[in-house]
Amino acid sequence: MSVSVLRVPLFGFTALVFFANTISAQELDDEPKRNLKLPNQPAASLDHSAKAQSTNVGVAADGKSESEKFLLLPVPSREPVFGWGLELMAASFVDLDGGNESTPPSQVGAVASYSENGTWGAGFMGMMHLMGDDVRIDAAAFYADMRYKFWGTGSDAGNSDEFVNVHQEIPIVYANAKYQLFSKGYLDLGYIGSQSTATYDLRGLGLPPELETINTETNISGLEVPFLYDTL
């Protein structure tokens, strides 16, 4: 149960990464289109157009770098466990490598969610490209405070008035650093960690007083050393 209810607050991170990567990829796809030459355009005009585009590479109409994009996404939701809720996601594309043309824009973002039963969560993420894209750093931190009723398991769950009030506090941190050993080949070193607590309120179930409240703690910690080959 504790794993399944995480899918709502963590949806924000998944969506944020998806939209960020989609927009970034779309920018890469659109770049060659701006340099397409019309078949009937005179050669002199083509040369002039190419020079003009070269002069203004990476500069939008408002004078800001094209890598400096901003995304704001509100997402209303309805979940039987939590009720109505709202998630607010924000992402920005920034240049963290001093205008190096070989480095794609970095992505930073934040997400926050709140549900009508008092469940809430917040966090941030970053996907950074540095040193001519030889170094990539991914980092994320998230905290969820979840409250819900557990009605049991099986086909008979929820048929009676008996349930358990559950309160979970779940912090999660993740970091990963990649170094390019050769063209498009990256060696990674990453870490993920979490120390979550859960309180089960069993009052009203006819149990002895010492069993009316149960507290548990779960620790998760892991290292990763993968190898990545970037096909883009």
Side-chain angles (χ1 to χ4, degrees), residues 50-165:
K51 291 180 181 179
Q53 290 177 4
S54 175
T55 304
N56 296 289
V57 166
V59 179
D62 58 2
K64 294 183 178 180
S65 169
E66 290 185 355
S67 64
E68 296 177 359
K69 304 292 184 179
F70 181 77
L71 168 71
L72 183 64
L73 182 66
V75 181
S77 63
R78 175 70 170 85
E79 170 68 31
V81 176
F82 304 114
W84 288 101
L86 178 66
E87 294 184 359
L88 186 63
M89 292 167 278
S92 179
F93 300 85
V94 296
D95 178 12
L96 299 180
D97 203 23
N100 192 329
E101 295 183 359
S102 64
T103 305
S106 298
Q107 305 160 22
V108 294
V111 58
S113 66
Y114 184 82
S115 299
E116 62 177 319
N117 77 334
T119 292
W120 65 276
F124 75 91
M125 59 154 295
M127 304 171 66
M128 291 155 278
H129 301 263
L130 306 168
M131 299 176 62
D133 206 25
D134 283 341
V135 175
R136 298 178 178 180
I137 299 176
D138 300 335
F142 187 83
Y143 178 83
D145 186 301
M146 300 189 299
R147 303 166 188 269
Y148 55 92
K149 293 178 172 62
F150 178 62
W151 295 88
T153 60
S155 59
D156 294 332
N159 291 336
S160 68
D161 294 332
E162 294 183 346
F163 57 85
V164 175
N165 283 310

Side-chain angles (χ1 to χ4, degrees), residues 3 14 19 30 88 91 126 134 194:
V3 175
T14 305
F19 282 108
D30 289 345
L88 186 63
D134 283 341
S194 174

